[in-house]
Amino acid sequence: MEIRKVAIVGAGTMGSLIAEVIAIHGFNVKLEDISEDILKKSLERIRGGLTRSYNKGYIKENIDVIMGRIATTTNLEEAVKDADLVIEAIPEILDLKKKVFSEIENYAPKHTIFASNTSSLSITELAKATKRPDKFIGMHFFNPPKVLRLLEIVWGEETSEETAKIVEDFAKKIDRVVVHVRKDVPGFIANRIFVTMSNECAWAVEMGEGTIEEIDSAVKYRMGLPMGLFELHDVLGDGSIDISYHVLEYFREKLGETYRPAPLFEKLFKAGHYGKKTGKGFYDWREGKTNEVPLRAGAKFDLLRLIAPAVNEAAWLIEKEVATPEEIDLAMLHGLNYPRGLLRMADDIGIDKIVNKLNELYEKYREERYKVNPVLQKMIEEGKLGRKTGEGFYKYGKGNYEFIIVEKIGKIGVIRLNRPTRANALNLTFIKEIEDALEMFKENEDVKVVVITGAGRNFCAGADISMFASGRPDLVTETSRTGHRLLRKIELYPKPVIAAINGPALGGGFELTLACDLRVMSENAFLALPELGLGITPGWGGTQRLAYFVGVGKLKEIIMLRKRIDAKTALDLGLVSEVYPADEFWEKAIKFAEELTELPSIALKYLKNVIAYGVMPTLESGCLIESEASGDIALTDEVAEGIQAFMYRRKPNFK
Ligand code: COA
């Protein structure tokens, strides 16, 4: 069976947003709720969302045509009578959901699959309200679904393989990143980690390990989550402390006392401070106050103290065969907008360190949730300590990458920068993986040319700005030096390296292209060095290498005016060799690269050396000074202001 017609029961926030996503992808959808007024508001919300997406160029289809695929009704029978799939999105009240499902059962055809968008309730329990537990499943979307593409497909005890397969096929057609939650455990995957980690933040405050602001700052800037978890609770849905409190009470009931809400959650909940919507939450929002978390406030907070318990929760999910490490990380990336997978972070930190931290916490607080999960214990025994031992939750070594995709197309080695949820921003691990892939292609005699390009809509947004929250100039200098090492490696690489600039290349992304031998660009892409706007200076050769292309005058103009260089200007300035239409970009870029596969390899190697050493004799000393400067200014107030302003999407105010 294939899903063609969808009914959504409940036209609140989630019901409306789900309908929008489904209609965007070409499906007819019937939206049902109890009053015309709710449906009218829902349609207005959907139209607003579509207009924003259209204006940003994310959708091309006419908005009225998309709206034409959405029908509304207050009649439940009418909504579901010919549906292949019914998605329920009504309030999280078990009895209410069961009542509605038993009604739907009377009207829906035999083949119809029933799905609940519940974020916490048991699918097995809900299925009991129907006569088709095998065709009952959880489809847990995340808010906002246009940005967070995760879909947790939650299996009840009797859900059939076939049902899960049909729903998965449909989910892919509406651009979801699918993760199977094979047992409907409390919180499933993403919310289990999210809510317990938020509670852990609140426990850390309780235990005097940091203040709300310090912990938020560490989580937001150093760990790289879009927001601190307290901040997020205050603004998510205009305040969600009440929701997390209820979820924690539910965890306490199902998973044990150790999951009880931390006193800070309890205090706020009982006082009716749920976040922005009530004027107060973790922060005070009254009289239109804004609360910006300062960049370096959390420089000293021990993040491992939050990460280790979260990894322990993930290990529990693996132990109980709810999900695999890959699925858990996908859920983190696409449901919680983590900067990278939680278990990837654990592998980088080292499983031994994670376990030591858990033991330390257990010794100190005697809480069950800190007891090391057998999955972690086994990894220690087997010496699978993470990246440093070649294996942890993942395998490492040549060909096994976190941030890049490597492939061979004929004689061309392709390195695709693959961190699309962070606009392909580069960190140290990322850089090392590119170096490793270059080494691999160097040894491969079949590879004659290397092409570097970006996955998703961006080429690369430059260096990951999270390093500036560390309060460590040495780390900033090291990141700059590591970037220089990679770029110099490209310059001296014995094979031609081409940057196929598929989308925006900013900061370090632009600088990376400058070290390549040749550049081709999509007409939609642009180049820029926005660093000064962040209170920093370019750190990967932008202050040096670019001068060889455009001269010092133009160099200063590009850095100081921070203008976007569009494709035509880039061509005029001699920064790129060719510009291609967006829809033919990749095909043409590969063709361009193919033309370079026949060059004589010895002459080419000498040519690159002569240019690198002869034309740019001062490049390396210039880059050294650039790295020192990057480190030196890393602690200024200007950096704090610049990066904070970027994160809160406002103009910086440099004093
Ligand atoms: N470091 C860390 N995170 C970054 C980043 C960087 N350099 N650049 C972008 N991101 C994050 C964004 O904050 C956003 O996070 P969110 O989803 O939590 O909001 C996410 O990556 C996606 O970026 P977004 O801006 O939503 O994507 P886009 O496709 O609309 O725009 C850019 C892409 C590259 C134009 C835009 O991200 C940008 O201007 N980035 C800043 C580049 C910069 O200043 N680089 C110099 C750094 S030294």
Side-chain angles (χ1 to χ4, degrees):
M1 187 188 112
E2 194 184 331
I3 307 256
R4 289 201 177 86
K5 292 183 185 160
V6 183
I8 296 178
V9 176
T13 307
M14 276 319 277
S16 309
L17 295 172
I18 296 168
E20 182 187 349
V21 166
I22 293 178
I24 285 175
H25 291 90
F27 289 89
N28 288 327
V29 48
K30 276 191 200 160
L31 194 51
E32 187 272 352
D33 211 310
I34 48 176
S35 83
E36 288 294 349
D37 193 40
I38 296 175
L39 290 169
K40 189 167 155 265
K41 287 205 180 95
S42 167
L43 287 180
E44 280 165 15
R45 180 197 291 266
I46 295 172
R47 186 175 280 280
L50 289 172
T51 308
R52 279 191 296 280
S53 297
Y54 188 84
N55 291 342
K56 282 190 178 167
Y58 296 158
I59 52 172
K60 302 262 180 277
E61 201 178 6
N62 181 294
I63 292 173
D64 288 330
V65 175
I66 301 176
M67 289 300 290
R69 288 197 281 268
I70 304 173
T72 56
T73 175
T74 52
N75 181 331
L76 189 59
E77 179 173 5
E78 168 58 27
V80 305
K81 68 176 189 211
D82 56 356
D84 301 315
L85 171 69
V86 176
I87 302 173
E88 164 276 310
I90 64 172
E92 292 281 88
I93 303 164
L94 183 72
D95 290 340
L96 180 66
K97 285 192 195 265
K98 282 180 119 172
K99 185 168 155 283
V100 170
F101 272 118
S102 63
E103 250 180 81
I104 298 172
E105 178 70 69
N106 295 332
Y107 306 134
K110 289 247 165 329
H111 76 277
T112 309
I113 291 175
F114 290 0
S116 173
N117 177 51
T118 181
S119 59
S120 55
L121 299 173
S122 159
I123 295 302
T124 308
E125 188 58 37
L126 286 172
K128 286 182 186 156
T130 73
K131 295 191 187 80
R132 58 184 91 192
D134 59 318
K135 293 193 177 67
F136 198 102
I137 201 157
M139 283 179 83
H140 183 212
F141 288 83
F142 287 74
N143 187 7
K146 273 195 293 188
V147 180
L148 299 175
R149 289 164 53 225
L150 179 67
L151 180 77
E152 288 181 333
I153 294 188
V154 188
W155 298 48
E157 269 165 29
E158 293 187 48
T159 305
S160 73
E161 295 266 349
E162 194 194 353
T163 299
K165 174 85 180 62
I166 295 167
V167 170
E168 177 174 337
D169 288 346
F170 171 70
K172 289 193 172 147
K173 287 183 193 151
I174 57 166
D175 192 34
R176 296 300 92 186
V177 174
V178 170
V179 159
H180 288 273
V181 185
R182 285 180 185 74
K183 290 177 187 161
D184 58 348
V185 296
F188 311 142
I189 302 172
N191 279 346
R192 172 70 173 267
I193 307 278
F194 167 62
V195 178
T196 54
M197 197 172 186
S198 303
N199 204 29
E200 213 57 67
C201 290
W203 279 113
V205 174
E206 185 67 23
M207 300 306 181
E209 297 172 35
T211 63
I212 289 176
E213 200 173 70
E214 285 164 2
I215 297 172
D216 259 1
S217 175
V219 168
K220 180 188 182 82
Y221 299 108
R222 279 172 53 216
M223 198 170 158
L225 264 60
M227 284 190 198
L229 294 174
F230 295 124
E231 188 183 21
L232 180 62
H233 267 90
D234 275 6
V235 303
L236 189 69
D238 259 352
S240 54
I241 292 169
D242 48 340
I243 296 171
S244 281
Y245 178 81
H246 289 308
V247 175
L248 284 163
E249 280 294 351
Y250 180 66
F251 284 5
R252 174 190 213 162
E253 182 195 325
K254 300 280 171 191
L255 299 166
E257 189 59 20
T258 194
Y259 289 94
R260 68 196 177 284
L264 186 53
F265 264 106
E266 186 151 15
K267 197 178 88 199
L268 291 172
F269 175 74
K270 296 212 163 131
H273 298 323
Y274 301 158
K276 235 175 164 174
K277 64 187 174 192
T278 60
K280 262 184 163 181
F282 291 105
Y283 297 89
D284 188 347
W285 300 91
R286 287 169 304 178
E287 292 148 24
K289 265 175 118 173
T290 50
N291 291 286
E292 280 195 12
V293 177
L295 178 72
R296 287 185 296 256
K300 296 215 162 56
F301 178 74
D302 177 15
L303 273 172
L304 195 51
R305 188 258 176 273
L306 301 178
I307 295 172
V311 173
N312 214 28
E313 294 300 325
W316 186 95
L317 293 168
I318 297 167
E319 184 205 355
K320 303 281 186 265
E321 295 178 345
V322 176
T324 62
E326 289 81 0
E327 286 173 317
I328 292 170
D329 275 356
L330 277 179
M332 300 298 105
L333 285 170
H334 298 282
L336 302 183
N337 209 345
Y338 263 47
R340 60 194 292 208
L342 173 69
L343 301 179
R344 288 286 190 181
M345 287 187 209
D347 275 359
D348 261 16
I349 292 166
I351 305 304
D352 47 345
K353 286 199 183 147
I354 300 278
V355 165
N356 288 345
K357 180 53 73 179
L358 285 168
N359 284 331
E360 186 191 312
L361 287 166
Y362 185 74
E363 282 303 308
K364 207 163 156 193
Y365 299 127
R366 297 277 153 192
E367 288 284 355
E368 285 296 306
R369 63 183 188 276
Y370 297 136
K371 273 196 175 159
V372 176
N373 183 276
V375 167
L376 296 176
Q377 205 61 57
K378 188 155 174 269
M379 289 170 80
I380 297 281
E381 282 154 23
E382 292 174 351
K384 294 180 183 166
L385 304 184
R387 208 175 266 273
K388 63 187 169 194
T389 59
E391 189 172 352
F393 286 105
Y394 296 87
K395 283 202 167 79
Y396 296 91
K398 288 211 180 346
N400 292 312
Y401 300 121
E402 175 181 357
F403 292 114
I404 57 173
I405 298 171
V406 170
E407 62 179 319
K408 211 171 135 281
I409 301 176
K411 294 176 182 171
I412 302 163
V414 177
I415 299 175
R416 201 175 287 275
L417 311 175
N418 184 36
R419 198 190 182 196
T421 53
R422 278 289 172 281
N424 298 330
L426 302 165
N427 55 29
L428 283 175
T429 307
F430 202 148
I431 294 171
K432 285 174 186 154
E433 288 189 353
I434 301 172
E435 286 186 313
D436 190 67
L438 283 169
E439 280 304 316
M440 200 171 74
F441 283 141
K442 190 155 124 188
E443 286 157 22
N444 187 337
E445 286 184 6
D446 293 341
V447 172
K448 303 293 180 198
V449 178
V450 174
V451 172
I452 301 179
T453 192
R457 61 174 179 262
N458 293 293
F459 176 79
C460 172
D464 192 316
I465 50 179
S466 61
M467 68 176 147
F468 288 99
S470 64
R472 286 180 48 200
D474 59 314
L475 179 69
V476 176
T477 304
E478 187 201 335
T479 308
S480 170
R481 295 299 294 151
T482 310
H484 283 146
R485 192 179 70 203
L486 165 68
L487 269 51
R488 195 63 180 158
K489 189 188 199 80
I490 294 174
E491 229 152 29
L492 298 170
Y493 196 69
K495 307 180 186 190
V497 182
I498 298 162
I501 309 168
N502 57 301
L506 303 189
F510 182 15
E511 291 166 303
L512 169 63
T513 71
L514 293 173
C516 295
D517 299 307
L518 296 161
R519 285 149 295 281
V520 294
M521 189 167 175
S522 161
E523 64 182 355
N524 288 348
F526 60 86
L527 311 167
L529 291 177
E531 281 87 348
L532 272 196
L534 297 169
I536 58 178
T537 55
W540 284 340
T543 62
Q544 306 297 307
R545 215 174 253 109
L546 184 57
Y548 290 96
F549 285 80
V550 296
V552 173
K554 199 76 194 170
L555 168 82
K556 285 193 182 169
E557 194 183 303
I558 291 171
I559 296 178
M560 290 186 186
L561 301 186
R562 291 170 290 123
K563 272 194 191 153
R564 292 179 168 192
I565 306 170
D566 61 24
K568 186 182 169 305
T569 313
L571 195 63
D572 292 345
L573 285 172
L575 288 169
V576 299
S577 304
E578 299 198 14
V579 171
Y580 304 131
D583 53 353
E584 299 168 18
F585 175 72
W586 184 237
E587 195 186 309
K588 296 227 157 150
I590 285 295
K591 223 162 161 230
F592 180 87
E594 269 163 6
E595 282 170 25
L596 295 161
T597 54
E598 305 299 330
L599 294 179
S601 60
I602 297 173
L604 184 86
K605 189 170 140 185
Y606 276 89
L607 173 81
K608 287 189 65 168
N609 279 339
V610 169
I611 296 174
Y613 290 111
V615 181
M616 301 188 274
T618 60
L619 181 72
E620 291 201 72
S621 48
C623 284
L624 184 69
I625 299 169
E626 190 191 65
S627 294
E628 300 295 331
S630 298
D632 281 349
I633 61 169
L635 288 179
T636 61
D637 290 346
E638 291 178 351
V639 173
E641 171 58 12
I643 291 182
Q644 244 170 266
F646 172 73
M647 290 296 277
Y648 287 97
R649 309 218 179 252
R650 64 168 172 80
K651 247 179 100 119
N653 175 19
F654 296 119
K655 295 249 162 55

